[in-house]
Amino acid sequence: ETGVTQSPTHLIKTRGQQVTLRCSSQSGHNTVSWYQQALGQGPQFIFQYYREEENGRGNFPPRFSGLQFPNYSSELNVNALELDDSALYLCASSLGEVYEQFFGPGTRLTVL
Amino acid sequence: DQQVKQNSPSLSVQEGRISILNCDYTNSMFDYFLWYKKYPAEGPTFLISISSIKDKNEDGRFTVFLNKSAKHLSLHIVPSQPGDSAVYFCAASGNTPLVFGKGTRLSVIA
């Protein structure tokens, strides 16, 4: 059974640029959630996708957007990057249930 | 406003002793609570959970206690092992996305 994978591992961007982060769900999981973990904080919910549709969104501006593909993999896109977007971005997959989420290792984004 | 609070940023415990990690919450709609463990360069790993209909759940060396009236839960690890050294996150949900605390860094000293 393949776990949740994320790419890239690390990324450095400058203010105003756009970034795309990728996530492959654990085999058989149809729900993907994205979280932002700033330094010294716990993960904060960005949004969730279930069967290719957005299924809930946290308190993040519209420049944070996402996609889920038919194979349940997912992308997180962030436009007009700001310095405060520097964080660890975590993807978690589950089989429909909110609670039983399995996390990937994360992508460390640095915005200069 | 933080709905899930872990007021101790760090905790050091001797190997073999008990580790107690605490978590407080403010939202009375939360009905499911989880603990995750996180090692550096890895994503959080699910450890143990408890439903609001219970006040205790045990899994091997790990026990979670829930006090609904105090809106407080705790994770007990006994005996603590050096491999338990990690950041522990408390999370809560009430048919909503998970809300995480800031985490407590546990160091188990051999």
Side-chain angles (χ1 to χ4, degrees), chain A residues 2-3 5 8 11 15 26 38 41 47 60 64 67 70 83 85 95 99 102 106-107:
Chain A
T2 306
T5 60
L11 201 53
R15 271 187 306 175
Q26 182 161 316
Q41 305 293 316
F47 44 57
F60 281 82
F64 285 77
L67 281 174
L83 296 180
D85 296 334
L95 188 58
Y99 313 127
F102 295 82
T107 293

Side-chain angles (χ1 to χ4, degrees), chain B residues 5 7-8 74 78 97 107-108:
Chain B
K5 300 178 185 179
N7 292 319
S8 298
S74 61
V78 56
S107 299
V108 180

Side-chain angles (χ1 to χ4, degrees), chain B:
Chain B
D1 186 31
Q2 269 193 288
Q3 297 185 71
V4 178
K5 300 178 185 179
Q6 293 178 256
N7 292 319
S8 298
S10 63
L11 175 69
S12 289
V13 172
Q14 289 281 343
E15 181 180 5
R17 305 295 289 266
I18 185 171
S19 295
I20 300 176
L21 295 93
N22 293 304
C23 177
D24 297 296
Y25 62 96
T26 57
N27 190 339
S28 55
M29 298 301 292
F30 287 149
D31 61 2
Y32 201 80
F33 305 89
L34 307 89
W35 286 93
Y36 281 84
K37 179 168 76 171
K38 188 179 185 301
Y39 293 119
E42 294 183 13
T45 303
F46 170 75
L47 196 57
I48 192 169
S49 63
I50 188 166
S51 163
S52 60
I53 62 173
K54 294 186 174 182
D55 54 18
K56 177 183 174 181
N57 189 26
E58 196 170 352
D59 184 2
R61 297 185 297 113
F62 303 92
T63 304
V64 56
F65 295 92
L66 175 62
N67 182 334
K68 283 178 290 185
S69 61
K71 293 190 177 70
H72 175 84
L73 63 155
S74 61
L75 174 68
H76 293 211
I77 307 172
V78 56
S80 301
Q81 299 173 353
D84 295 329
S85 296
V87 177
Y88 288 78
F89 291 100
C90 170
S93 178
N95 201 26
T96 59
L98 291 178
V99 179
F100 285 82
K102 290 186 177 183
T104 296
R105 181 176 301 278
L106 173 66
S107 299
V108 180
I109 304 161

Side-chain angles (χ1 to χ4, degrees), chain A residues 47 54 57-66 76-79:
Chain A
F47 44 57
E54 189 177 289
R57 188 179 184 93
N59 189 26
F60 281 82
R63 58 188 186 84
F64 285 77
S65 63
L76 164 65
N77 299 290
V78 187
N79 294 321

Side-chain angles (χ1 to χ4, degrees), chain A residues 50-112:
Chain A
Y50 171 69
R51 293 188 175 180
E52 303 177 58
E53 297 282 334
E54 189 177 289
N55 185 40
R57 188 179 184 93
N59 189 26
F60 281 82
R63 58 188 186 84
F64 285 77
S65 63
L67 281 174
Q68 187 180 31
F69 300 100
N71 66 354
Y72 303 132
S73 65
S74 177
E75 285 183 356
L76 164 65
N77 299 290
V78 187
N79 294 321
L81 283 167
E82 301 176 0
L83 296 180
D84 285 348
D85 296 334
S86 295
L88 180 68
Y89 288 84
L90 293 162
C91 165
S93 74
S94 56
L95 188 58
E97 287 287 336
V98 172
Y99 313 127
E100 303 293 335
Q101 296 189 10
F102 295 82
F103 284 83
T107 293
R108 171 77 60 190
L109 172 65
T110 302
V111 182
L112 302 176

